[in-house]
Amino acid sequence: MDLTAYRILQEALTNARRHAPGAAVDVELRYASDALHLRVRDNGPGAAGDDPGGHGLLGMRERAATVGGTLRAGPAAGGGFLVEADLPIGGPAP
């Protein structure tokens, strides 16, 4: 789960730098007893069109799924772009 969280965070920050250069980016990590919640939000122009698409977002979703987690990505309320992942601690349920 640690490597998955690292790679999702790395991709989200790379995307913010590529698609919203100079934008402020907030990163939030919250641990619960059973999960890690990861949130990355920038204040850039947001996604181009309704479907942000791209292989980076798909890769982040696949990484989250491999550990039994979920990932949401899209325009943030008030502008910018938001990536949120919930990753279970201890891996996917059997």
Side-chain angles (χ1 to χ4, degrees), residues 8 11 15 51-66 71-73 81 83:
I8 289 171
E11 181 67 25
N15 286 349
D51 181 16
H55 296 292
L57 295 176
L58 177 62
M60 287 190 282
R61 283 190 181 92
E62 289 173 350
R63 284 184 185 280
T66 63
L71 185 126
R72 295 163 305 285
F81 198 79
V83 174

Side-chain angles (χ1 to χ4, degrees), residues 4-60:
T4 298
Y6 173 81
R7 296 293 292 169
I8 289 171
L9 178 59
Q10 181 182 39
E11 181 67 25
L13 290 171
T14 298
N15 286 349
R17 183 174 179 184
R18 179 177 296 130
H19 300 291
V25 179
D26 293 320
V27 175
E28 179 181 327
L29 300 171
R30 282 186 293 137
Y31 283 92
S33 61
D34 61 346
L36 167 65
H37 176 76
L38 177 102
R39 183 176 188 266
V40 180
R41 182 181 191 274
D42 70 57
N43 67 351
D50 292 334
D51 181 16
H55 296 292
L57 295 176
L58 177 62
M60 287 190 282

